[in-house]
Amino acid sequence: QVQLVESGGGLVQAGDSLRLACVASGGTLAGYGMGWFRQAPGKEREFVAAISWRGDRTYYADSVKERFSICRDDSKAMYLQMYTLKPEDTAVYFCATDMLGGGGTQADEYESWGQGTQVTVSS
């Protein structure tokens, strides 16, 4: 399994933007579908966005559609560009790999997970 490291989280104000990154430590992301999930305190982990292994298909949760954008740098990294952040976007954000390559919307489709990066949006 590939080891994943997220970065880019922080404390921002509502309306600000952030760019999260996910890289493979000692490996490659080539061939994997990739996804971003988030978990707020007291809530279950929820799907945010996903991208297929070739980057030709992307999927978004309704709550972030039109505000977030997922992309990948081939085998090296995956990114989540977040615009117009809202307090309800506050959560720990995790990236994950999908060996089947599709980049699904369900957490159980993913095998490897990073440790997460905290995003806090103040009102």
Side-chain angles (χ1 to χ4, degrees):
Q1 292 184 333
V2 64
Q3 291 188 320
L4 303 174
V5 180
E6 302 96 336
S7 62
L11 171 62
V12 297
Q13 293 186 332
D16 285 351
S17 300
L18 274 178
R19 188 192 196 207
L20 306 184
C22 173
V23 299
S25 174
T28 177
L29 299 179
Y32 290 104
M34 302 290 300
W36 286 99
F37 289 75
R38 67 187 182 186
Q39 188 166 18
K43 295 187 176 181
E44 293 188 352
R45 191 169 297 190
E46 65 173 359
F47 169 74
V48 176
I51 188 167
S52 61
W53 70 276
R54 287 196 297 185
D56 57 340
R57 286 173 287 139
T58 57
Y59 310 92
Y60 297 93
D62 288 343
S63 59
V64 306
K65 206 171 292 184
E66 309 298 334
R67 298 189 299 120
F68 290 11
S69 178
I70 188 171
C71 64
R72 62 188 303 160
D73 180 11
D74 197 15
S75 65
K76 297 179 181 179
M78 177 187 63
Y79 305 94
L80 184 68
Q81 179 67 56
M82 305 185 292
Y83 300 99
T84 319
L85 283 160
K86 303 176 180 180
E88 51 263 43
D89 294 319
T90 295
V92 178
Y93 284 70
F94 301 88
C95 67
T97 58
D98 167 21
M99 288 181 65
L100 295 181
T105 62
Q106 303 300 312
D108 60 9
E109 298 179 72
Y110 293 81
E111 302 84 22
S112 295
W113 294 79
Q115 293 299 305
T117 184
Q118 176 71 48
V119 172
T120 303
V121 184
S122 63
S123 58

